[in-house]
Amino acid sequence: MILFGHPLDLGPLWLTLQVASIATAILLVPGLAIAWWLAHWRSPLRAVAEAVVALPLVLPPVVLGFYLLVFLNPQGWVTQTLHSLGYEGQLTFNKTGLIIGSVVYSLPFMVQPLLRAFESLPRNLLDAAATLRAGWWDRFFHVVLPLSRGGLIVALTLTFAHTVGEFGVVLMLGGNIPGKTRVVSIDIYNHVEAMEYAQAHMLSGLMLVFAVIVLTIVYGLYRRGGDEHA
């Protein structure tokens, strides 16, 4: 593709969007479960659990990627167990590795907005639904989720956007293989390293516009949610 007179490889863009979409979809159900559990768990150990979930926020991405690489290496027990169950592929330096790294690294971006949304739910509405003999699943899908839709949209948006911008973790687990594991962030780095600043500017500009759009959506939802609860 030619953009502003310069060639632009759409492969990394397409791969990045694929990985971000898959990782976000994978995180949705466990993110809901973990957030609901943390919101209702009354224990001194809750702080420890929240710290573990939030660890990717403070741990250097390269460190997290390194330990995932060690954990998922072809000779490790995880890969060997999957091989014994019939899975013949490997978990690193391919698209699978990119997705695994993205899921682990983006977990707190899915859980934390949902946790805040669940904690702010009016308890009396859930109690009223229970007195009307609504089952747990009925209360969750017809009361909890509708009231938490702002937090849910923020969680999905932040998770997708954060995955799009990852660098360290995906580089450690996927490498820099053209046409196979090279995502946008790595492609920008390669262009800068090769002093191809025009291509780096184009990709960076696209990422900048994407980031502004995402943040506008997130802050708009937070403001709307604050107005509704005022």
Side-chain angles (χ1 to χ4, degrees):
M1 177 182 176
I2 303 299
L3 186 62
F4 300 119
H6 297 280
L8 180 64
D9 184 7
L10 295 180
L13 280 170
W14 175 237
L15 178 61
T16 301
L17 294 176
Q18 282 184 307
V19 171
S21 299
I22 294 171
T24 302
I26 290 174
L27 278 170
L28 178 57
V29 172
L32 286 167
I34 293 172
W36 183 259
W37 170 60
L38 288 174
H40 295 84
W41 191 32
R42 300 292 179 261
S43 168
L45 295 177
R46 174 180 162 173
V48 177
E50 287 189 275
V52 171
V53 172
L55 195 60
L57 293 174
V58 296
L59 194 66
V62 175
V63 174
L64 181 61
F66 170 72
Y67 281 114
L68 286 174
L69 185 63
V70 172
F71 186 67
L72 301 173
N73 78 86
Q75 305 305 319
W77 69 269
V78 174
T79 305
Q80 293 301 314
T81 299
L82 290 176
H83 286 175
S84 67
L85 296 174
Y87 178 77
E88 298 299 330
Q90 65 179 47
L91 303 176
T92 55
F93 300 107
N94 53 23
K95 189 175 178 180
T96 301
L98 296 179
I99 294 171
I100 293 174
S102 297
V103 166
V104 174
Y105 192 50
S106 295
L107 177 64
F109 290 86
M110 178 66 76
V111 171
Q112 291 194 352
L114 291 171
L115 175 59
R116 302 299 169 247
F118 291 157
E119 288 179 328
S120 66
L121 289 176
R123 183 67 191 179
N124 60 322
L125 293 180
L126 296 177
D127 292 339
T131 60
L132 294 175
R133 298 185 179 180
W136 188 89
W137 288 107
D138 193 31
R139 295 198 303 270
F140 187 79
F141 283 105
H142 293 94
V143 179
V144 173
L145 285 185
L147 291 175
S148 306
R149 64 182 181 275
L152 178 59
I153 295 173
V154 169
L156 292 171
T157 304
L158 285 180
T159 301
F160 182 84
H162 183 254
T163 305
V164 167
E166 288 175 9
F167 180 78
V169 172
V170 294
L171 181 61
M172 293 294 289
L173 279 179
N176 185 8
I177 306 173
K180 187 176 180 182
T181 63
R182 182 176 293 174
V183 294
V184 170
S185 57
I186 296 175
D187 202 30
I188 292 173
Y189 175 81
N190 288 337
H191 285 310
V192 173
E193 193 174 44
M195 292 188 293
E196 297 170 348
Y197 296 121
Q199 289 88 340
H201 272 305
M202 286 187 294
L203 287 173
S204 298
L206 290 174
M207 295 290 286
L208 179 60
V209 172
F210 174 75
V212 171
I213 293 173
V214 167
L215 289 174
T216 300
I217 294 172
V218 169
Y219 282 117
L221 287 170
Y222 272 126
R223 181 179 296 275
R224 180 180 176 183
D227 292 340
E228 289 178 351
H229 289 91

